[in-house]
Amino acid sequence: MSRKTILAGNWKMFKTSAEARQFFSQLLPLITPLKPDREVALGVPFPSLEAAAAAVADSPVAIGAQDIFWEDQGAFTGEVSGPMIRAAGATAVIIGHSERRQLFGETGQWVNQKLRAALRAGLAPIVCLGETRAERESGQTFEVLGRQLAEGLAGFAANELAPLVLAYEPVWAIGTGLTATPEQAQETHAAIRQWLGRHLGPALAADLRILYGGSVKPDNVARLMSQPDLDGALVGGASLEAAAFARIVNFDD
Ligand code: 13P
């Protein structure tokens, strides 16, 4: 199994470009040299993309946006396209985060269109999925995840999805301090991988990286990452502070 671990941060609506520059000036010395078995990425707000990309030039850190619109240009007030994100120096984009689904009405069909736009722009898509607490407690977790996968990945052939990364983020674990147990996360990641195998074939299922997100912290990351189907983390709160995120990036495997 040769899936390289990704430690990704999602800053959400935090940090100006000056704050981004300061963060990277603190982070880079703490994670250099980066252990060869891992990659690092930060999802930053649109106005900070360019400063963040400049700050990580000549480092192994990748910069991503947190959303994308599916058209390349046009009369879509407030939206930001794949070519614009690329031109700002980013190489990745988070799509379908639960906050977008819950607070902004993002649908599975939008996720699908945004995924297509990201691939067209040459951005590595990180597509998020996850169940709410009520859905888990009523035994609907795998049904919900299957629906999110079916909607998000509809119409794609396996060979188009090679750059795709998935992030399983149980909604009940985001920003709550309630991390899924390593066993809970492993069970769910394995089920997602089985779904991929059934619908897109064993090769993609074996190669595709599935990140876990939801209250990942410096002191729980190693246990989570020791699970065979967890290929990295998508970190919210603990990615805002350089020292904490560096401890996550440098976890002992
Ligand atoms: P927290 O790490 O703050 O729980 O956020 C997780 C998340 O939503 C990352 O996208």
Side-chain angles (χ1 to χ4, degrees), residues 10 12 97 99 169 173-176 213-217 234-238:
N10 173 12
K12 309 190 180 183
H97 191 278
E99 286 151 16
E169 300 205 307
I174 294 177
T176 57
S215 299
V216 175
K217 305 292 175 196
L234 184 56
V235 184

